[in-house]
Amino acid sequence: MVDMRIKLGEKISLDNPLMTASGTFGYGNELSDVLDINNYGGIVTKSLSIEPRIGNPPPRIVETHCGMINSIGLANIGVETFLEEKAGFLSDYKGQLIVNIAGRTDDEYFAALKRLTQVDWIQGFEINVSCPNVKEGGIEFGKDPKVLGQLVKELRQLTDKFLMIKLSPNVTDIGIMAEKCQECGADAVAMINTLYGAAIDIYSRKPLINSVIGGLSGPAIKPVAIASVIKASKVIDIPIIGMGGISCGQDVVEFLLAGASAVELGTVHFFNPHAVIEILEFLKKYCDENNISAISDLVGKIDY
Amino acid sequence: MVDMRIKLGEKISLDNPLMTASGTFGYGNELSDVLDINNYGGIVTKSLSIEPRIGNPPPRIVETHCGMINSIGLANIGVETFLEEKAGFLSDYKGQLIVNIAGRTDDEYFAALKRLTQVDWIQGFEINVSCPNVKEGGIEFGKDPKVLGQLVKELRQLTDKFLMIKLSPNVTDIGIMAEKCQECGADAVAMINTLYGAAIDIYSRKPLINSVIGGLSGPAIKPVAIASVIKASKVIDIPIIGMGGISCGQDVVEFLLAGASAVELGTVHFFNPHAVIEILEFLKKYCDENNISAISDLVGKIDY
Amino acid sequence: MKKYLSSKIISNQQLSKSFFQMDINCPEIVKISEPGQFVNIYFSGDKKIFPRPFSIAGAKNGILKIVYKVVGSQTLQMSRWKSGHDLKILGPLGNKFSIKTGGTHVLIGGGVGIAPMLFLKDSLVTKNSKPYLLIGARNKDEMFLFEDYESELNLSTDDGSHGFRGNVVSYFQALVDSMEKPLHVYCCGPDKMLEVLAAYCKKMKFDLQVSIEKVMACGMGLCQGCATKTKTESGEIKYSLVCKDGPVYNAGDVFFNG
Amino acid sequence: MKKYLSSKIISNQQLSKSFFQMDINCPEIVKISEPGQFVNIYFSGDKKIFPRPFSIAGAKNGILKIVYKVVGSQTLQMSRWKSGHDLKILGPLGNKFSIKTGGTHVLIGGGVGIAPMLFLKDSLVTKNSKPYLLIGARNKDEMFLFEDYESELNLSTDDGSHGFRGNVVSYFQALVDSMEKPLHVYCCGPDKMLEVLAAYCKKMKFDLQVSIEKVMACGMGLCQGCATKTKTESGEIKYSLVCKDGPVYNAGDVFFNG
Ligand SMILES: Cc1cc2nc3c(=O)[nH]c(=O)nc-3n(C[C@H](O)[C@H](O)[C@H](O)COP(=O)(O)OP(=O)(O)OC[C@H]3O[C@@H](n4cnc5c(N)ncnc54)[C@H](O)[C@@H]3O)c2cc1C
Ligand SMILES: Cc1cc2nc3c(=O)[nH]c(=O)nc-3n(C[C@H](O)[C@H](O)[C@H](O)COP(=O)(O)OP(=O)(O)OC[C@H]3O[C@@H](n4cnc5c(N)ncnc54)[C@H](O)[C@@H]3O)c2cc1C
Ligand SMILES: Cc1cc2nc3c(=O)[nH]c(=O)nc-3n(C[C@H](O)[C@H](O)[C@H](O)COP(=O)(O)O)c2cc1C
Ligand SMILES: Cc1cc2nc3c(=O)[nH]c(=O)nc-3n(C[C@H](O)[C@H](O)[C@H](O)COP(=O)(O)O)c2cc1C
Ligand code: FES
Ligand code: FES
């Protein structure tokens, strides 16, 4: 029997390294017809903001080679409705529930975190400072290490729960951003959010995404994500949660070897709703066949 | 008859907007069995350095989803051998010959440019400040706008020929870099070079690229390239030469609409040696069917 | 309770130049499908990553039927699958037509919009209602015929090469006087056609339900990618998810350019 | 003068559990092909973008033959292509075996490394030389037989399930005494096998040419991706491009872990 558990520092322990990526799993209940969501070691919710947001106008998504661009614009039901409507379903979930928080201003982040940290069925937070397709805020915090550091410090004051920062790959050096998060008290970093991407309809000449530039995800970006995790793992000691283009069990092993302690499944949910089940099976088989008794033994074991 | 000509500022005029991307077309002669290289409006050579370089050890390439990672390490025969060996073949070429120059230090760039600008069959230069897989130099110039600006200013002093700067997407804001190039006298900018990317063999645990992190190219990155061209075209007036993931005529139209005046074909050469011919055919048909009399009319005509 | 299954193709026949009908063995989905709902078909190994949504065109005896038109790479690939091929399928997805009682049911399908109308027709026939089924196509090549109708079948082509000459909405207008009121109209087809029909039905005060299309990534409410602008009953503007809240809407609630 | 063509598959037969032989109609390439050279086969619509290189296993009467083993997605796809299928092919690529005169020719193929040896054998037979052809496989399932030999054919399997028990290099060593010297040895197979054989031939002072493999993007010197460490005659270390300068090397010039 392979030990699939993963510790993310002192505060959180996952039954297995697979979590959901924000915005690709609804609020958790949509896929529950199709599989038991307790297969996931952790669930990360859609980004929530203190007030509800209707999101961006269509078109919001477009398929690209081995990937997609999205510009959902952080459409979400808002913190209060979330707590009312989803408590029943999510408090039954046996894994670790992480709420992803987005904001346009510091105050919006603070307000959401203050409210949510009081809720006992929420185990931690992922702070989205890296959404490429909302006009104000979001990515602004994720671009400048000083601004980011300040935000993390203040958020740290507001909760003792697990606090991780989700970083953007659209920066010159993701390592510097990761270091800043560690320095300012984050428990972990998650990477990568989507890359900037755009596409144009050559007949109508219109952008295929409402906001012109949206966020690129899916298998196409996996090499960028692996490179980002390798870079970050060289400069920080706090856990890294890796994501970006995971489509199968092999990919998850690649992220772990690169230095991620756990991973999030995103776009894969759209093209393989059973991904989590197939990946768990692969991981068990891979570990068995390669005499690995604990999956955590793989973390960072790239052989230079 | 569609007018396929493109002017890149005052100094260079292309018979059509298709050029070759550095490093994906050898020195020009390798593909000449398979097609007439006069199909290209312009040829950009493999990066040349003043001294020859043997390049990086294998493995140098790996396939990824809809893309590839490379770490050739700017292997090249050096300026002098290039001039001796390739003059015959390349001086017969009817289009515009652009030599791509790489360096580890300012002096290496200067030396190469000084030598090459004297050669009459060379019409212009593309300066590679963005190669992600050479340890010293290269990308360092492409990361910091101040360093970049200084380099461009000095290069500008050394040649009156067409001078374009090839930018990296691995920066927080490619627009700022493009503006800097314009301000410091570049005739054009080319974008994008490869994205950082890495891959790991999950059985040997070894990186699949000698330098661990290499450069990601191919259809996977097209959305990033289109987004980059859109961003740059909002802030500069000098021509943009677009590239990144082009695989067909539709893609070329997309780049033109996004704001590129011409494009470079890269990775596509590996999976479709006849790409240039098929793309030219498509462009003519597309223009005919859509009542476009000059291909240059498409440039920047995205309809927001 | 949608299901994600590996199911076998029973048959995949060409109906006309570019239309195909695929019969898929998946009793689990058939059992719980309702007219208006759709399924997702999955692909693998491809550079295209989204599954493709198709209306359920029939669900009987454990066999799910879809009718599809070859318009691009994935439908082309589907057209090459042979009987016996295993495919991954998710469904049923989306809401359903709400079937009104009393009056006359008029089902209008433009082009491949015929697909959900076939299932709706089956269902109405079972309920002992005899619906009109109006089918519009661009020309004869795009038109196809079915074995078994049990309903008033009316064909039109834009170029008059088969049946009524003109689009299916004009055809409906030409027939409307002969139809016993009140009318319940159901339609699926291109946005433009829906828009024209919606304006007409509004004027005539016919009740109209439309099934609309949007590019979808997940098909089940995970991504919020398929949002379309709608009006709520209170007149408020809202982005509705076509895959979950739709694809069937009261015509009055939809913005056809949203 | 390599050619890039669209060519028709004449036949694509299964030779053994995982080996196939594909005959392709492309006289233009056949005419100019030499033993040791290879072709690139192209794919489209796929998430994998590189073409795949295959040694020319025969080139006669306008028909190019390749022998391939299904090891991953693209070879699997190839195994499903039917006769009549159009494929894109580029070739001939790379250098060639340099055929020595006089003495005895010993051709050794390990696994799918047999492919270039078949063409080399054809060519030697035409030149009235009667080469030895030694074929090694892991087991019977991996071994396959050809109709027509015209050469001394010797089979070995690692597990002894067919022919000599042991690897093909030991088999060569077992036969070597009976072979008339001088020997010219040509080999294609896994790196490990080449390395062992190279050490042996060096000791015995047999002249050995090997055909080696590297992952290739372009197959024709455009990308410099297939570099491998080699020694030049003067002993200098140099990265050689396997697709252009190779795939055939004098064994002494190659670093098998390079
Ligand atoms: C709810 C719903 C029900 C549908 N029912 C049917 C049906 O019964 N029969 C039928 O033939 N077609 C139906 N369609 C349309 C069908 O999904 C598209 O024709 C198909 O996806 C085209 O795929 P392709 O790869 O062949 O073409 P592509 O070249 O990829 O695309 C051609 C066009 O198809 C549409 N399309 C592409 N991808 C998607 C996607 N992921 N989701 C939705 N639309 C997409 C777009 O409008 C696109 O411009 C339905 C669509 C929806 C949303
Ligand atoms: C000069 C040369 C001649 C060859 N001749 C033959 C032959 O005659 N018969 C035969 O069966 N095989 C031959 N091969 C190997 C053959 O190219 C691979 O088996 C094939 O590419 C595998 O593709 P895949 O998608 O099925 O497997 P994948 O799962 O993609 O890869 C399996 C393995 O195949 C190799 N491979 C994959 N892609 C490439 C590539 N682009 N270039 C080179 N190797 C690759 C790698 O070692 C990889 O680990 C030759 C290779 C070279 C370089
Ligand atoms: C449709 C969609 C919506 C997303 N919404 C969010 C979001 O609300 N908050 C967030 O932090 N990331 C969001 N993301 C980014 C993903 O969580 C993830 O970082 C990214 O998609 C890369 O992983 P992948 O390639 O596996 O999808 C979204 C991605 C997609 C595709
Ligand atoms: C194998 C390979 C070698 C390359 N070598 C160079 C180089 O020497 N100099 C340079 O400026 N860019 C080099 N590039 C980058 C390409 O010129 C181009 O910017 C990039 O590949 C993106 O375009 P594509 O996706 O169309 O290939 C190389 C790319 C590849 C794939
Ligand atoms: S397609 Fe994902 S929410 Fe509708
Ligand atoms: S494979 Fe491109 S140079 Fe050899």
Side-chain angles (χ1 to χ4, degrees):
Chain A
M1 272 302 295
V2 182
D3 182 357
M4 296 292 280
R5 287 170 305 172
I6 288 283
K7 283 190 67 172
L8 299 178
E10 296 306 312
K11 294 180 188 162
I12 280 204
S13 208
L14 303 172
D15 284 343
N16 71 55
L18 308 183
M19 305 207 270
T20 62
S22 181
T24 66
F25 194 67
Y27 293 100
N29 49 332
E30 287 82 356
L31 210 62
S32 59
D33 290 359
V34 167
L35 50 80
D36 179 357
I37 63 165
N38 291 309
N39 277 300
Y40 293 94
I43 286 180
V44 180
T45 66
K46 174 79 190 157
S47 281
L48 288 173
S49 48
I50 186 73
E51 299 296 332
R53 289 205 202 169
I54 63 163
N56 289 340
R60 289 182 171 184
I61 50 172
V62 65
E63 207 176 15
T64 65
H65 288 261
C66 290
M68 64 179 287
I69 311 174
N70 88 78
S71 169
I72 309 299
L74 299 180
N76 80 91
I77 56 180
V79 165
E80 290 307 330
T81 310
F82 171 77
L83 291 176
E84 279 159 34
E85 287 181 7
K86 308 294 171 182
F89 178 79
L90 288 175
S91 54
D92 284 348
Y93 168 59
K94 299 197 185 76
Q96 303 295 304
L97 184 73
I98 311 287
V99 172
N100 179 300
I101 297 178
R104 269 179 293 230
T105 60
D106 311 36
D107 287 339
E108 283 189 17
Y109 282 107
F110 302 156
L113 182 57
K114 272 188 209 155
R115 175 72 185 91
L116 291 162
T117 195
Q118 298 159 15
V119 179
D120 57 5
W121 46 270
I122 296 173
Q123 277 86 33
F125 303 97
E126 181 181 77
I127 307 299
N128 180 2
V129 289
S130 50
C131 181
N133 50 47
V134 181
K135 285 213 182 71
E136 315 98 354
I139 183 71
E140 295 311 321
F141 292 100
K143 272 182 181 173
D144 180 334
K146 270 186 229 121
V147 179
L148 177 66
Q150 189 55 36
L151 180 72
V152 175
K153 255 188 218 149
E154 301 190 65
L155 292 170
R156 181 72 286 172
Q157 307 300 316
L158 300 176
T159 186
D160 290 328
K161 288 188 174 173
F162 180 75
L163 178 67
M164 75 175 161
I165 313 298
K166 183 165 176 185
L167 297 177
S168 168
N170 301 308
V171 295
T172 307
D173 189 343
I174 202 168
I176 292 179
M177 307 306 278
E179 271 183 293
K180 202 50 151 180
C181 291
Q182 168 167 306
E183 184 191 315
C184 297
D187 295 308
V189 291
M191 62 180 67
I192 59 175
N193 208 319
T194 53
L195 285 163
Y196 284 123
I200 304 169
D201 183 310
I202 64 165
Y203 298 101
S204 71
R205 301 187 179 184
K206 300 242 179 259
L208 282 160
I209 285 292
N210 62 73
S211 52
V212 186
I213 292 174
L216 180 67
S217 67
I221 70 167
K222 195 189 67 176
V224 178
I226 296 288
S228 301
V229 171
I230 290 176
K231 281 191 207 173
S233 72
K234 285 190 182 154
V235 294
I236 60 171
D237 305 311
I238 53 174
I240 298 169
I241 283 70
M243 82 196 81
I246 290 174
S247 71
C248 61
Q250 281 87 335
D251 293 347
V252 172
V253 176
E254 211 179 333
F255 272 90
L256 299 178
L257 292 172
S261 296
V263 299
E264 296 180 12
L265 309 183
T267 303
V268 66
H269 287 118
F270 311 154
F271 58 88
N272 182 3
H274 273 180
V276 66
I277 298 174
E278 292 171 16
I279 292 173
L280 281 178
E281 256 168 42
F282 176 87
L283 293 179
K284 282 177 192 149
K285 197 163 141 266
Y286 171 88
C287 288
D288 272 343
E289 287 174 1
N290 294 281
N291 294 316
I292 292 153
S293 55
I295 192 107
S296 56
D297 288 347
L298 291 170
V299 177
K301 294 296 165 52
I302 180 174
D303 176 8
Y304 291 112
Chain B
M1 272 301 295
V2 182
D3 182 354
M4 296 291 279
R5 287 170 305 173
I6 288 283
K7 284 191 63 172
L8 298 179
E10 297 306 313
K11 294 179 190 163
I12 281 206
S13 207
L14 303 172
D15 285 342
N16 71 53
L18 309 183
M19 304 207 269
T20 61
S22 180
T24 66
F25 194 68
Y27 294 99
N29 50 332
E30 287 82 356
L31 211 62
S32 60
D33 290 357
V34 167
L35 49 82
D36 179 357
I37 63 166
N38 291 308
N39 277 299
Y40 293 93
I43 286 180
V44 181
T45 65
K46 173 77 192 160
S47 281
L48 289 173
S49 48
I50 186 73
E51 299 296 334
R53 287 205 202 169
I54 64 163
N56 289 339
R60 289 182 172 185
I61 50 172
V62 64
E63 206 176 16
T64 66
H65 288 262
C66 289
M68 65 179 286
I69 311 173
N70 87 77
S71 169
I72 310 299
L74 299 179
N76 81 90
I77 56 181
V79 166
E80 289 309 328
T81 311
F82 171 77
L83 292 176
E84 279 158 36
E85 290 183 3
K86 310 293 171 183
F89 178 80
L90 288 175
S91 55
D92 284 349
Y93 167 59
K94 300 197 184 78
Q96 302 296 305
L97 184 73
I98 311 288
V99 172
N100 179 299
I101 297 178
R104 267 177 295 226
T105 60
D106 312 36
D107 286 338
E108 284 189 16
Y109 283 106
F110 303 156
L113 183 57
K114 271 188 209 155
R115 176 71 186 92
L116 291 162
T117 196
Q118 299 160 15
V119 180
D120 57 4
W121 47 271
I122 296 173
Q123 278 86 31
F125 303 97
E126 180 180 80
I127 308 298
N128 180 1
V129 289
S130 50
C131 181
N133 50 47
V134 181
K135 285 214 181 72
E136 316 95 357
I139 183 70
E140 296 312 320
F141 292 99
K143 272 182 182 174
D144 180 334
K146 271 188 228 118
V147 180
L148 177 66
Q150 189 55 35
L151 180 73
V152 174
K153 254 188 218 147
E154 302 190 62
L155 292 170
R156 181 71 288 172
Q157 307 300 315
L158 300 176
T159 187
D160 291 328
K161 289 189 174 173
F162 180 76
L163 177 68
M164 77 174 161
I165 313 299
K166 181 163 177 187
L167 297 177
S168 168
N170 301 309
V171 294
T172 306
D173 189 344
I174 202 167
I176 293 179
M177 308 305 279
E179 271 183 293
K180 203 53 156 179
C181 292
Q182 168 166 306
E183 185 191 314
C184 297
D187 294 308
V189 291
M191 63 181 66
I192 58 175
N193 208 319
T194 53
L195 285 162
Y196 284 124
I200 305 168
D201 183 310
I202 64 165
Y203 297 102
S204 71
R205 301 188 180 184
K206 300 240 179 258
L208 283 160
I209 286 291
N210 63 74
S211 53
V212 186
I213 292 174
L216 180 67
S217 67
I221 72 167
K222 195 190 67 178
V224 178
I226 296 287
S228 301
V229 171
I230 290 176
K231 281 191 209 176
S233 72
K234 286 189 182 155
V235 295
I236 60 171
D237 306 309
I238 54 175
I240 298 168
I241 282 70
M243 83 196 81
I246 290 174
S247 70
C248 60
Q250 283 88 336
D251 294 346
V252 172
V253 176
E254 211 179 331
F255 272 91
L256 298 178
L257 292 171
S261 296
V263 298
E264 294 180 13
L265 309 183
T267 303
V268 66
H269 287 117
F270 311 153
F271 57 87
N272 182 4
H274 273 180
V276 69
I277 299 174
E278 292 171 15
I279 291 174
L280 280 177
E281 258 169 40
F282 176 88
L283 292 179
K284 282 177 192 149
K285 196 164 144 261
Y286 171 88
C287 288
D288 273 343
E289 288 175 359
N290 294 281
N291 294 315
I292 293 154
S293 56
I295 191 109
S296 56
D297 289 346
L298 291 170
V299 177
K301 293 295 165 54
I302 179 174
D303 177 8
Y304 291 113
Chain C
M1 283 295 286
K2 54 189 171 292
K3 313 270 176 197
Y4 179 65
L5 303 168
S6 186
S7 302
K8 259 201 186 3
I9 295 180
I10 308 243
S11 74
N12 190 17
Q13 357 156 212
Q14 188 157 7
L15 298 174
S16 72
K17 202 163 157 234
S18 53
F19 283 83
F20 288 75
Q21 168 179 331
M22 191 184 282
D23 289 356
I24 304 162
N25 183 35
C26 51
E28 300 91 329
I29 296 178
V30 164
K31 243 183 342 220
I32 49 178
S33 295
E34 300 274 358
Q37 291 190 294
F38 67 97
V39 293
N40 260 355
I41 304 281
Y42 292 78
F43 303 85
S44 67
D46 238 86
K47 66 187 180 193
K48 299 233 184 157
I49 63 165
F50 289 171
R52 295 294 192 258
F54 296 93
S55 300
I56 301 173
K60 239 195 323 229
N61 307 328
I63 295 172
L64 188 124
K65 177 165 85 178
I66 63 173
V67 171
Y68 63 98
K69 183 175 176 189
V70 173
V71 297
S73 61
Q74 306 314 80
T75 45
L76 181 64
Q77 199 173 314
M78 284 166 63
S79 72
R80 293 185 181 140
W81 291 345
K82 304 264 174 280
S83 46
H85 180 97
D86 283 311
L87 55 72
K88 300 271 186 185
I89 183 170
L90 172 71
L93 301 170
N95 67 355
K96 54 184 181 182
F97 287 109
S98 96
I99 298 181
K100 303 294 162 77
T101 47
T104 305
H105 299 282
V106 184
L107 281 48
I108 305 180
V112 79
I114 178 71
M117 295 303 146
L118 296 174
F119 187 20
L120 179 58
K121 183 259 314 170
D122 285 349
S123 169
L124 287 166
V125 167
T126 320
K127 293 192 172 70
N128 264 320
S129 155
K130 194 157 173 282
Y132 284 86
L133 182 55
L134 276 65
I135 303 184
R138 248 178 271 159
N139 53 49
K140 216 166 94 182
D141 283 349
E142 300 253 302
M143 179 61 82
F144 47 91
L145 294 168
F146 304 89
E147 321 91 61
D148 170 33
Y149 290 99
E150 313 165 73
S151 58
E152 198 70 44
L153 179 70
N154 297 281
L155 306 176
S156 69
T157 49
D158 294 354
D159 67 355
S161 54
H162 195 97
F164 179 85
R165 181 198 202 93
N167 69 49
V168 67
V169 179
S170 340
Y171 192 26
F172 171 48
Q173 291 165 342
L175 292 175
V176 76
D177 284 343
S178 66
M179 292 173 172
E180 198 171 316
K181 312 290 175 311
L183 298 189
H184 306 297
V185 189
Y186 310 82
C187 183
C188 181
D191 268 8
K192 274 234 178 77
M193 167 183 155
L194 295 180
E195 203 171 348
V196 174
L197 181 64
Y200 177 68
C201 288
K202 190 175 173 186
K203 198 180 76 184
M204 303 295 283
K205 301 212 163 63
F206 299 150
D207 137 73
L208 170 65
Q209 290 172 55
V210 295
S211 170
I212 66 171
E213 292 189 4
K214 271 278 160 196
V215 172
M216 294 178 177
C218 72
M220 49 177 156
L222 299 178
C223 73
Q224 308 205 44
C226 60
T228 195
K229 211 159 105 180
T230 55
K231 265 198 291 274
T232 59
E233 267 165 56
S234 59
E236 234 179 311
I237 301 297
K238 172 192 154 184
Y239 288 124
S240 166
L241 300 184
V242 175
C243 74
K244 213 176 123 180
D245 310 325
V248 178
Y249 293 89
N250 286 320
D253 297 344
V254 181
F255 293 83
F256 291 103
N257 313 316
Chain D
M1 284 296 284
K2 54 189 171 289
K3 314 271 177 195
Y4 179 64
L5 303 168
S6 187
S7 301
K8 260 203 187 359
I9 296 179
I10 309 246
S11 74
N12 190 17
Q13 354 155 215
Q14 189 156 6
L15 298 174
S16 71
K17 203 164 156 230
S18 51
F19 283 83
F20 288 75
Q21 167 179 332
M22 190 183 283
D23 287 358
I24 305 162
N25 183 35
C26 51
E28 299 93 329
I29 296 177
V30 164
K31 246 186 334 223
I32 50 178
S33 295
E34 300 276 359
Q37 291 191 294
F38 66 97
V39 294
N40 260 353
I41 304 280
Y42 292 78
F43 303 86
S44 66
D46 238 86
K47 65 185 181 195
K48 298 231 184 159
I49 63 166
F50 289 170
R52 295 292 191 260
F54 295 92
S55 299
I56 301 174
K60 240 196 320 228
N61 307 328
I63 295 172
L64 188 125
K65 177 165 86 176
I66 62 174
V67 171
Y68 62 98
K69 182 176 174 187
V70 173
V71 297
S73 61
Q74 307 315 81
T75 44
L76 182 64
Q77 199 174 315
M78 285 166 64
S79 72
R80 292 185 181 140
W81 292 345
K82 304 261 174 283
S83 45
H85 180 96
D86 282 312
L87 55 74
K88 300 271 185 185
I89 183 169
L90 171 72
L93 302 170
N95 66 353
K96 56 184 182 183
F97 287 107
S98 99
I99 297 180
K100 304 294 162 77
T101 47
T104 305
H105 299 282
V106 184
L107 282 48
I108 305 181
V112 81
I114 179 71
M117 295 304 144
L118 296 173
F119 187 20
L120 179 59
K121 183 256 320 169
D122 285 350
S123 169
L124 288 166
V125 167
T126 320
K127 293 194 172 68
N128 264 320
S129 155
K130 191 158 175 280
Y132 283 87
L133 181 54
L134 275 66
I135 302 182
R138 247 179 269 159
N139 53 49
K140 217 166 92 182
D141 283 350
E142 301 252 301
M143 179 61 80
F144 47 92
L145 294 168
F146 305 90
E147 320 91 60
D148 171 32
Y149 290 100
E150 312 165 73
S151 59
E152 197 72 41
L153 180 70
N154 298 280
L155 308 175
S156 68
T157 48
D158 294 355
D159 67 355
S161 53
H162 195 97
F164 180 85
R165 180 200 202 93
N167 69 50
V168 67
V169 179
S170 339
Y171 191 26
F172 171 49
Q173 291 165 341
L175 293 174
V176 76
D177 284 343
S178 66
M179 293 171 172
E180 199 172 316
K181 311 293 174 313
L183 298 189
H184 306 297
V185 189
Y186 309 82
C187 183
C188 181
D191 268 9
K192 275 232 179 79
M193 166 183 156
L194 296 180
E195 205 173 347
V196 173
L197 182 64
Y200 177 67
C201 288
K202 191 173 171 190
K203 198 180 76 184
M204 303 293 286
K205 300 211 162 63
F206 301 151
D207 136 76
L208 170 65
Q209 292 173 53
V210 294
S211 170
I212 66 171
E213 294 189 2
K214 270 278 160 195
V215 172
M216 293 179 177
C218 72
M220 50 177 156
L222 300 177
C223 73
Q224 308 204 45
C226 60
T228 195
K229 213 158 102 181
T230 55
K231 264 196 292 277
T232 60
E233 266 164 56
S234 59
E236 235 180 310
I237 300 298
K238 173 192 153 186
Y239 288 124
S240 167
L241 299 183
V242 175
C243 74
K244 214 176 121 181
D245 309 325
V248 178
Y249 293 89
N250 285 320
D253 297 345
V254 182
F255 293 83
F256 291 102
N257 313 316

